């Protein structure tokens, strides 16, 4: 959708020059316009979505138990009553050698990932987000749990948020560390997600693109956390669009992957190896 690709243009105030378009190749601009067209074409006038058309324009890519560029993946069920699923990505070394059933030599940090799409479009199995999670897992040497949360309009708010909490509870349950997803990647047990006012609230890495229409909200979020004494590290990418990390052609996307890897390594070291 438009908010996940190119920013929505806003009127230029009198006396001010219009901001130039973000730097990118012509092919990338055409690709983003194609995504916008597909999004608009599958949205009905009454606000519902044509899921059948979406399944054609956004086909689900399969998980691969065999490593692909050093990262394997598998789909897991997080909450049977709601049929909540997720895709788990893990570095191939975590499989303990050639036999993927053997446990890894040490627990992995785990990153919980929520794909974009305005809570209505795309999925954990969308090609762009599948590839992005593979890159994160590879760069950060971490397990990535991409939550396939329920989407609107079929599932009203707060269904997606409930699914996010269910994913964290799944990770916090010790029985899931040695079986299920843990059979492929034994991740370190996370603490239950604390509230913003909790002293246990973890450090935050926030990447802000200069062409992201949501950047003002992101900065307000950082200011709110800092006002509460939380550790927030902000990385500014002046030429970046919304969700730029999904596009490997952007140098800023590769830089962010490196920042994420450093951030995860520091967090794991600071917590004694658990995330």
């Amino acid at each position: 959708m438009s908010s996940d690709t190119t920013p929505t243009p806003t009127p230029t105030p009198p006396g001010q020059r219009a901001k130039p378009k973000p730097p990118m190749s012509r092919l990338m601009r055409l690709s983003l316009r194609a995504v916008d067209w597909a999004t608009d074409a599958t949205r009905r006038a009454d606000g519902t979505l044509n899921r059948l058309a979406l399944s054609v324009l956004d086909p689900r890519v399969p998980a691969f138990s065999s490593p692909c560029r050093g990262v394997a993946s598998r789909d897991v069920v997080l909450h049977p009553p709601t049929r909540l699923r997720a895709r788990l990505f893990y570095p191939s070394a975590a499989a303990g050698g050639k036999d993927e059933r053997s446990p890894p030599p040490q627990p992995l940090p785990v990153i919980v990932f929520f794909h974009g799409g305005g809570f209505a479009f795309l999925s954990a199995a969308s090609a762009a987000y599948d590839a992005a999670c593979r890159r994160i897992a590879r760069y950060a040497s971490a397990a990535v749990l991409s939550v396939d949360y329920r989407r609107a309009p079929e599932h009203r708010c707060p269904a997606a948020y409930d699914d996010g909490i269910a994913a964290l509870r799944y990770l916090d349950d010790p029985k899931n560390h040695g079986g299920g997803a843990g059979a492929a990647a034994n991740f370190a047990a996370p603490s239950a997600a604390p509230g913003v006012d909790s002293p246990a609230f973890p450090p935050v890495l926030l990447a802000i693109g200069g062409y992201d229409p949501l950047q003002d909200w992101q900065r307000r979020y950082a200011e709110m956390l800092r006002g509460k004494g939380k550790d927030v590290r902000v990385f500014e990418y002046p030429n970046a669009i919304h969700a730029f990390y999904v596009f490997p052609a952007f140098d800023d996307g590769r830089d962010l992957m490196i920042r994420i890897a450093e951030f995860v390594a520091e967090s794991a070291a600071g917590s004694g190896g658990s995330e």
Side-chain angles (χ1 to χ4, degrees):
M1 62 189 304
S2 298
S3 62
D4 277 308
T5 54
T6 54
T8 302
T10 55
T12 302
Q16 292 187 18
R17 296 179 60 184
K19 187 175 183 179
K21 294 181 179 180
M24 65 180 72
S25 68
R26 180 171 296 181
L27 178 60
M28 178 60 71
R29 290 190 190 280
L30 290 174
S31 299
L32 294 178
R33 287 180 182 176
V35 173
D36 286 342
W37 174 86
T39 301
D40 293 338
T42 55
R43 185 173 55 234
R44 300 188 181 99
D46 63 359
T48 61
L49 300 177
N50 188 332
R51 293 290 179 193
L52 179 60
L54 276 173
S55 67
V56 175
L57 296 172
D58 179 38
R60 297 176 66 91
V61 299
F64 291 96
S65 58
S66 298
C68 176
R69 297 192 65 186
V71 176
S73 62
R74 66 175 56 187
D75 293 329
V76 297
V77 177
L78 304 184
H79 189 243
T82 58
R83 293 182 291 182
L84 173 63
R85 300 176 63 87
R87 179 159 294 181
L88 175 70
F89 301 84
Y90 51 97
S92 56
K98 295 182 179 179
D99 183 0
E100 291 188 1
R101 295 171 299 177
S102 59
Q106 61 182 9
L108 290 173
V110 59
I111 298 171
V112 182
F113 183 89
F114 300 97
H115 67 81
F119 297 105
F121 296 89
L122 307 175
S123 72
S126 293
Y129 286 110
D130 181 272
C133 288
R134 289 181 184 278
R135 288 195 296 274
I136 295 173
R138 185 170 65 252
Y139 271 84
S141 298
V144 178
L145 190 73
S146 181
V147 183
D148 203 17
Y149 54 81
R150 290 170 290 174
R151 294 160 296 171
E154 294 89 345
H155 301 282
R156 298 174 65 88
C157 183
Y161 294 93
D162 291 341
D163 290 347
I165 296 298
L168 296 178
R169 287 174 176 165
Y170 174 89
L171 291 174
D172 208 38
D173 190 338
K175 75 173 183 292
N176 293 322
H177 300 166
N186 181 27
F187 36 74
S191 299
V196 173
D197 291 320
S198 170
F201 194 84
V204 172
L205 182 153
L206 188 61
I208 301 176
Y211 286 87
D212 190 338
L214 303 180
Q215 59 182 289
D216 290 342
W217 288 93
Q218 294 167 336
R219 291 192 177 90
R220 282 195 288 269
Y221 177 62
E223 292 170 3
M224 181 272 293
L225 290 176
R226 285 171 173 160
K228 294 180 178 294
K230 308 306 178 185
D231 179 7
V232 184
R233 308 172 203 182
V234 176
F235 293 96
E236 296 273 359
Y237 294 95
N239 293 324
I241 62 174
H242 184 66
F244 65 94
Y245 65 92
V246 172
F247 307 100
F250 291 141
D251 290 337
D252 286 340
R254 290 192 289 272
D255 182 80
L256 180 58
M257 293 294 161
I258 295 172
R259 302 289 187 181
I260 291 173
E262 295 172 345
F263 183 79
V264 170
E266 293 173 8
S267 298
S271 60
S274 65
E275 278 288 298

